[in-house]
Amino acid sequence: MDYLNGIVVALTILGLVGIGIYAIIVSRNLIKVVVGLQIMVKGVLLAFVLAGRASGNIGLGQSLALTVIVVDTIVAVVALALTVQVRRRFGSLDPQDLTTLRR
């Protein structure tokens, strides 16, 4: 039964990381890009905990996950603050509209 739980968690990790990458690549909105990054990081958190459990040192995996949660929260807040400023300055959240270079 323990083996089956590991497979389910590994598939969940792959699903979250895949959804996050898809959201980052396909999205035309900076807020959706930040949300995609958040989803991807949640998959990485699960991977840390699973790796700690597999190695028999679950405390290390959990402490790494807690560190990532703190850093990820700070990154998300700064990214959303920058997104608000981009919207005020350029009037758009489309990343392609942010370039000031002309072709």
Side-chain angles (χ1 to χ4, degrees):
M1 189 65 171
D2 190 40
Y3 178 73
L4 184 61
N5 288 339
I7 291 175
V8 169
V9 173
L11 289 175
T12 305
I13 291 167
L14 289 174
L16 286 172
V17 171
I19 290 169
I21 290 173
Y22 177 78
I24 291 169
I25 292 172
V26 172
S27 180
R28 303 282 303 208
N29 187 329
L30 289 176
I31 293 176
K32 291 180 183 178
V33 170
V34 172
V35 171
L37 283 171
Q38 294 294 307
I39 292 171
M40 194 168 52
V41 167
K42 299 316 178 231
V44 172
L45 290 174
L46 282 176
F48 281 151
V49 174
L50 181 65
R53 182 173 166 221
S55 70
N57 196 356
I58 196 161
L60 179 62
Q62 289 176 345
S63 64
L64 281 172
L66 183 61
T67 303
V68 171
I69 288 171
V70 171
V71 171
D72 182 50
T73 303
I74 294 169
V75 168
V77 168
V78 170
L80 290 174
L82 286 172
T83 301
V84 168
Q85 293 303 317
V86 164
R87 173 74 168 102
R88 286 183 183 170
R89 175 110 201 275
F90 293 98
S92 174
L93 291 176
D94 188 359
Q96 291 184 348
D97 291 344
L98 302 181
T99 181
T100 55
L101 299 176
R102 301 289 179 211
R103 293 182 186 168

